Amino acid sequence: VDRAFRPLEAYARYWTGGKYRGSAWIRVQGNKLNLVSQAGDQPGALDIEVPAAFSLGTHPISADAWHVAALGASTTATATSFTLDPSGDASTPLLGKLVQIPIVRLPDEDVAVPAGRFKARHLRLSGITDYWVTGDDWLVVKSSSSAGERVLVEWRESR
């Protein structure tokens, strides 16, 4: 991503249901997103126009806070994400599409996790997953959904 969290390039190895689905290279140049993928013996390619503010939905935990960062969400809004096809059908090309993600900004909180105590922005995506993020790089400190809770267990600042 660039400094405004706009995607530039990504590589994704995609697994679903414990089975390898395929891989994809994604590149963004201007308002064009190009995807080249391989799923089993099925190559895929996609070229679509993307908005100025959008994110890539390649991994729920590491990327979800970027949906909000890309939007610059300080209040409730809707983010746009390019998300890979979640089906496990390796007989079809691995492609994706732009999806809308409703985001609600909740009050900031002090969050204590094994990695320490953080002043965090609290966000709810799609009405089902809560994220607590901190810092300029939107580090995910904690996430919570019906699938369970995840917390940051260690954090070290590099110099």
Side-chain angles (χ1 to χ4, degrees):
V1 296
D2 65 14
R3 292 182 68 76
F5 291 94
R6 190 168 200 277
L8 300 173
E9 185 174 41
Y11 173 74
R13 291 185 340 184
Y14 204 81
W15 295 73
T16 184
K19 295 183 180 177
Y20 182 65
R21 168 76 169 97
S23 63
W25 277 103
I26 301 166
R27 292 190 84 166
V28 178
Q29 294 179 312
N31 68 343
K32 298 286 186 192
L33 179 143
N34 171 263
L35 174 141
V36 177
S37 68
Q38 189 71 35
D41 60 355
Q42 295 295 317
L46 181 67
D47 288 299
I48 63 169
E49 286 192 29
V50 291
F54 81 104
S55 58
L56 293 177
T58 55
H59 188 279
I61 298 169
S62 61
D64 276 356
W66 285 5
H67 303 318
V68 183
L71 185 64
S74 59
T75 61
T76 299
T78 301
T80 300
S81 174
F82 178 80
T83 302
L84 294 171
D85 174 9
S87 81
D89 184 1
S91 68
T92 61
L94 178 59
L95 301 174
K97 63 183 177 181
L98 292 172
V99 297
Q100 301 300 300
I101 301 172
I103 299 169
V104 175
R105 174 73 187 264
L106 299 165
D108 291 354
E109 296 179 30
D110 284 323
V111 177
V113 296
R117 180 173 288 281
F118 299 87
K119 176 86 170 161
R121 296 180 292 280
H122 185 183
L123 310 154
R124 181 165 295 142
L125 278 68
S126 300
I128 57 173
T129 305
D130 282 27
Y131 287 90
W132 290 262
V133 300
T134 192
D136 293 338
D137 60 356
W138 295 71
L139 174 71
V140 177
V141 173
K142 177 179 168 183
S143 70
S144 179
S145 70
S146 61
E149 183 176 273
R150 294 174 174 90
V151 296
L152 185 65
V153 296
E154 184 177 353
W155 180 79
R156 284 180 268 165
E157 189 171 354
S158 63
R159 299 190 192 271

